[in-house]
Amino acid sequence: MESNEMVLEFDSKSSNEGFARISVAAFAAQLDPTLDEIADIKTAVSEAVTNSIIHGYEEKKGKIRIECKIEGDEFYITVIDWGCGIEDIQKAREPLYTTKPELERSGMGFVFMEVFMDSLEIISQKEKGTTVKMRKKIENTNKKNGKPM
């Protein structure tokens, strides 16, 4: 399959999290992923977008940009915000760590992204924002089983 790309940009509102999940999943569908692969992608996107809304913009208005790219059987997702940035990326990646304990969130966002995707890269600069880059190889089990796409 040749490469393909798409870009989404939307307001940092919790109500847009579902839109982001569904849009990215719909774009990924052209790779004929399994239901588990789609669920992994949707969960990773949810976590990244929610982090941007809650931590990046701290519930203030801002923009979130999602860039998706397909190259062969590789699916790339980049989630970008221009919020407050992450002070300590290594600490933020630790299980159960959260800067907002009052919200009773689990502090597992980056852990989930890492578990559900094949690679995770976090780039952040204080007061400039955060970029989360994820990659997932789609196994195309339907093709392997000889089923038509």
Side-chain angles (χ1 to χ4, degrees):
M1 174 178 266
E2 60 187 55
S3 68
N4 196 6
E5 296 182 29
M6 74 102 173
V7 175
L8 282 177
E9 194 167 287
F10 51 90
D11 288 340
S12 60
K13 296 179 179 182
S14 294
S15 58
N16 286 333
E17 181 267 331
F19 163 72
R21 282 170 58 98
I22 299 299
S23 299
V24 171
F27 187 72
Q30 61 195 287
L31 285 172
D32 195 27
T34 64
L35 290 177
D36 285 342
E37 288 169 331
I38 282 288
D40 291 352
I41 288 167
K42 288 167 79 176
T43 299
V45 168
S46 259
E47 294 296 336
V49 168
T50 299
N51 277 356
S52 290
I53 294 166
I54 292 174
H55 300 288
Y57 291 114
E58 300 180 319
E59 306 282 346
K60 295 181 184 94
K61 190 175 181 191
K63 293 287 184 192
I64 297 171
R65 180 181 175 102
I66 298 179
E67 301 170 354
C68 293
K69 184 176 186 178
I70 293 170
E71 280 187 358
D73 59 359
E74 302 275 346
F75 189 62
Y76 298 87
I77 307 164
T78 303
V79 179
I80 303 163
D81 71 59
W82 294 271
C84 65
I86 301 170
E87 198 165 324
D88 185 342
I89 292 172
Q90 286 311 112
K91 188 117 184 111
R93 288 180 84 141
E94 290 177 10
L96 304 178
Y97 176 78
T98 182
T99 58
K100 305 270 186 220
E102 70 278 7
L103 296 179
E104 297 180 23
R105 306 242 347 135
S106 69
M108 298 292 285
F110 287 133
V111 174
F112 289 148
M113 287 179 238
E114 203 155 29
V115 167
F116 293 132
M117 301 301 282
D118 294 325
S119 70
L120 170 67
E121 180 185 359
I122 305 160
I123 303 158
S124 192
Q125 193 174 354
K126 201 79 178 124
E127 303 308 322
K128 302 261 187 201
T130 301
T131 299
V132 174
K133 295 181 176 191
M134 300 177 280
R135 179 186 56 80
K136 185 159 191 75
K137 182 177 174 61
I138 304 301
E139 297 298 328
N140 292 327
T141 55
N142 290 335
K143 284 183 190 173
K144 288 180 189 161
N145 295 333
K147 296 177 186 170
M149 288 182 57

